[in-house]
Amino acid sequence: MKIFFSIAINKLSVLLLFTSFFLGCNIKKSNSFLKNPERPNIVLILADDLGIHDLSVAGSNYYETPNIDRIANEGTVFTQGYASSRVCSPSRASIMLGKSTARHGITDWIGAASGENWRKHKRNNKLLPAEYVHALPEKDVTPPEALITGGYTTFFAGKWHLGDEPANPENNGFDVNKGGWEVGSPKGGYFSPWNNPKLPNETPGENLSMRLAKETSKFIEGNKDKPFFVMLSFYAVHGPIQTSEERWNKYRDKAEIQGIKDNGFKMERVLPIRTEQDNPVYAGLIEQMDDAVGVVLQKLKELGLDENTIVVFTSDNGGVASGDSFSTSNLPLRGGKGYQWGGGIREPYFIKVPYVKDAPKTVDVPVTGADFYPTLIDFAGLEALPNQTQDGISLKPLFEKGNVNERPLFWHYPHYGNQGGEPSSIIRKGDYKLIHYYEDGSNELYNLIQDPAEQNNIAADEKDRVQDLEKELMSYLESVNANMPTKEPQFDEELAKEIHKNRKEKLMPRLEKERLELLSKDYSPNPTWWDSKLTGD
């Protein structure tokens, strides 16, 4: 208790110092943070591993997401919305800190091997992944901590994966935590009984996404008379993917009606990658999450809070097209979770501000997950914390017919993804995106307006631009003391060729077989369908 109390006091001291400096006055009470007395409620919904095209509103004709679609249709869609990383923990840390991954140092999913420990995975790569920070830094101030000073009550439900105690949700500004702990996957699965010390089992067969929605709705109802900040952070749609037999049947039949292709994978640079959205288990998992979103939206409406509640929806990285469960396709974008191309970092990015009646329907400005923090505290009427949110900017002016300054965006992933991504860093500036690879120092350059699928590397034709962008990227990384990978002296070139051959000649045919098995009429994972039959989902 002494440790937690000390950390809380230290963080509050930092926040008061920031605010006192920028206001040029002494802080006496929380209301002095406010620019105006109107304090909207805020609901931030974060999906896990959901791809930008995993929604019907984003063009999928297979997945069905009417409730998430409603947030997009009633709000503002940022057409150039990005996660801050291609994997989960770094992206989530950027949302919580308003900083790029290179700056805050959580550059890989927490728990991933780095340095010489990488050899234990027998991956035989040219580089040893960089070391990284393994928890939210205690000195930083998170969005809920900032919002508490403005009179907000705060709530967290779902996936955390940003460190165990003392870096848990309760010690980072959340008054209530339901289900958030150090683990990043749904231990025990998506149906009760699950294994989560922060979310006791109640009803056998209960769906995890729905349980999180019910806990969220209960909190909202109990705090309807004061401003609240809710972060509903689903474990869905992270693997292991699971659904009920009823939903599997629905989407298996839908795939058959649409026409099941003979092949659903092709070989990407490192691993096979899925090219078809026809996984009925994954589709059911998405629908379960969407139903849960609907429960929360309905509760806001039922309580008359929907017109004074900002609702945000996004995902922490791209859909899993390679590796893990090989769940979905992000086409026409290239790659997926773990990858350096658009499929790995482009995300659904929806912000609904209901009381701004002339808010734009779409915004084409490139934005990242680091922008949510300064945006939400701006809407809440709090003063900016530029020493905290050093890479994020407030997007509120875009809702008021204003503009934001053009800026370069940076990504840093000095690791090997489980899904086929390579150690690299990225800069996007204007229409151009440069990817710098650490294995050989090479660069790829894409004009994202002309080539959003990143199929045409124009680096050889734009040498001056490549040089300028690489220089700016490296200057930024140096300025934030970014960690870098190192050479692996034990790398075996011949073994690498054999591994790649096996992935193409053995793994890809196995994946095709498993894909068709999921679509067969007699498919059954087990008698209880991952325990969903214990209550019937």
Side-chain angles (χ1 to χ4, degrees):
M1 289 296 294
K2 289 183 178 179
I3 295 176
F4 295 164
F5 182 76
S6 174
I7 293 169
I9 292 297
N10 289 340
K11 286 193 173 189
L12 181 59
S13 299
V14 172
L15 179 57
L16 293 176
L17 180 62
F18 282 167
T19 311
S20 178
F21 178 80
F22 289 107
L23 286 177
C25 63
N26 292 322
I27 306 296
K28 293 185 178 180
K29 58 182 180 179
S30 62
N31 285 343
S32 65
F33 286 85
L34 299 175
K35 295 178 182 176
N36 59 67
E38 297 299 324
R39 291 173 293 178
N41 304 311
I42 301 168
V43 175
L44 171 56
I45 304 173
L46 178 61
D48 191 17
D49 291 356
L50 185 78
I52 188 172
H53 294 130
D54 285 350
L55 305 173
S56 43
V57 73
S60 176
N61 64 358
Y62 187 59
Y63 309 130
E64 298 179 15
T65 53
N67 295 297
I68 298 170
D69 294 352
R70 182 149 55 97
I71 300 172
N73 292 330
E74 296 177 358
T76 298
V77 175
F78 287 77
T79 64
Q80 299 294 306
Y82 288 92
S84 294
S85 177
R86 61 184 89 167
V87 296
C88 55
S89 298
S91 180
R92 291 163 181 269
S94 290
I95 291 173
M96 295 300 293
L97 301 176
K99 299 177 181 180
S100 76
T101 61
R103 190 185 299 274
H104 61 61
I106 303 176
T107 52
D108 205 356
W109 60 273
I110 294 174
S114 57
E116 293 186 359
N117 285 330
W118 184 246
R119 293 172 183 155
K120 297 177 182 179
H121 293 268
K122 303 185 185 302
R123 288 280 295 271
N124 187 51
N125 297 119
K126 293 181 179 180
L127 301 174
L128 294 174
E131 302 295 340
Y132 63 94
V133 176
H134 284 244
L136 284 184
E138 295 176 5
K139 68 181 187 309
D140 282 277
V141 177
T142 64
E145 287 172 325
L147 289 164
I148 282 174
T149 66
Y152 280 74
T153 185
T154 60
F155 173 87
F156 183 89
K159 174 172 174 173
W160 179 245
H161 204 188
L162 290 173
D164 198 3
E165 297 178 4
N168 55 338
E170 298 92 326
N171 202 45
N172 277 282
F174 289 105
D175 297 322
V176 179
N177 168 32
K178 298 291 184 178
W181 62 312
E182 61 182 320
V183 174
S185 61
K187 292 293 183 182
Y190 282 99
F191 298 95
S192 181
W194 45 68
N195 179 19
N196 187 322
K198 298 291 186 176
L199 194 69
N201 289 284
E202 293 182 348
T203 305
E206 182 178 26
N207 177 260
L208 177 59
S209 296
M210 189 59 69
R211 170 67 178 279
L212 295 173
K214 290 176 180 177
E215 294 286 356
T216 301
S217 298
K218 181 179 178 181
F219 175 85
I220 290 172
E221 185 157 16
N223 293 273
K224 62 182 183 295
D225 296 325
K226 49 190 171 183
F228 55 76
F229 170 63
V230 163
M231 187 169 181
L232 174 53
S233 176
F234 288 108
Y235 283 94
V237 289
H238 193 288
I241 60 172
Q242 299 173 351
T243 192
S244 65
E245 184 177 18
E246 179 184 4
R247 294 180 198 268
W248 169 82
N249 263 316
K250 171 183 175 178
Y251 287 102
R252 196 218 71 83
D253 291 348
K254 187 172 185 178
E256 188 171 61
I257 291 170
Q258 292 181 349
I260 298 173
K261 303 277 183 64
D262 291 336
N263 297 296
F265 290 87
K266 69 176 183 180
M267 194 66 194
E268 219 347 316
R269 187 180 293 171
V270 176
L271 281 173
I273 192 165
R274 195 177 190 101
T275 58
E276 297 295 327
Q277 290 188 345
D278 60 4
N279 186 327
V281 176
Y282 184 70
L285 179 57
I286 289 177
E287 186 180 73
Q288 289 163 187
M289 179 181 68
D290 184 77
D291 286 350
V293 170
V295 167
V296 175
L297 297 181
Q298 180 58 36
K299 178 58 67 173
L300 291 172
K301 185 174 182 179
E302 174 190 314
L303 297 173
L305 300 175
D306 52 322
E307 289 301 314
N308 191 42
T309 300
I310 296 170
V311 179
V312 174
F313 181 85
T314 193
S315 177
D316 60 354
N317 48 248
V320 181
S322 283
D324 301 342
S325 298
F326 291 86
S327 305
T328 191
S329 170
N330 300 292
L331 292 174
L333 296 182
R334 187 177 180 185
K337 177 183 179 179
Y339 281 95
Q340 56 273 15
W341 302 297
I345 54 178
R346 284 282 303 280
E347 302 306 327
Y349 199 112
F350 311 146
I351 303 178
K352 177 186 175 183
V353 188
Y355 52 86
V356 178
K357 300 304 179 183
D358 56 350
K361 298 305 296 180
T362 60
V363 172
D364 298 329
V365 175
V367 295
T368 78
D371 297 326
F372 287 123
Y373 186 162
T375 299
L376 294 178
I377 66 169
D378 196 1
F379 272 117
L382 278 68
E383 288 291 334
L385 300 175
N387 278 11
Q388 173 61 52
T389 59
Q390 293 177 318
D391 296 292
I393 62 170
S394 173
L395 306 178
K396 184 182 177 187
L398 298 173
F399 289 81
E400 301 170 338
K401 299 182 179 180
N403 297 301
V404 294
N405 293 331
E406 186 173 322
R407 60 189 166 141
L409 301 178
F410 301 97
W411 292 263
H412 183 55
Y413 190 71
H415 310 278
Y416 289 96
N418 294 333
Q419 304 80 19
E422 300 159 80
S424 53
S425 295
I426 303 168
I427 177 173
R428 174 171 179 175
K429 190 171 186 180
D431 297 342
Y432 291 90
K433 172 182 174 181
L434 179 132
I435 306 172
H436 178 78
Y437 291 92
Y438 291 110
E439 283 192 345
D440 59 5
S442 64
N443 294 298
E444 292 174 359
L445 180 69
Y446 300 100
N447 183 318
L448 295 180
I449 304 303
Q450 298 176 3
D451 180 26
E454 296 172 73
Q455 296 295 319
N456 182 26
N457 177 14
I458 57 174
D461 301 324
E462 293 267 10
K463 293 182 179 179
D464 288 344
R465 191 184 302 275
V466 167
Q467 184 177 15
D468 291 344
L469 289 174
E470 182 182 359
K471 181 179 179 181
E472 186 170 1
L473 172 61
M474 292 305 160
S475 177
Y476 174 79
L477 295 175
E478 183 178 356
S479 72
V480 298
N481 298 313
N483 287 345
M484 294 292 176
T486 57
K487 290 286 185 182
E488 167 56 288
Q490 297 182 18
F491 172 69
D492 185 330
E493 183 71 44
E494 292 304 313
L495 177 58
K497 292 178 181 178
E498 184 65 24
I499 291 173
H500 186 77
K501 180 181 178 182
N502 287 338
R503 287 170 175 170
K504 185 175 182 179
E505 297 180 0
K506 295 182 180 180
L507 176 59
M508 192 152 71
R510 176 170 64 82
L511 291 170
E512 293 286 11
K513 180 182 177 182
E514 292 173 353
R515 167 179 164 264
L516 294 178
E517 287 174 351
L518 280 178
L519 290 161
S520 66
K521 292 183 178 181
D522 58 353
Y523 172 76
S524 176
N526 52 48
T528 65
W529 278 79
W530 297 295
D531 291 338
S532 67
K533 286 190 173 183
L534 297 183
T535 58
D537 190 14

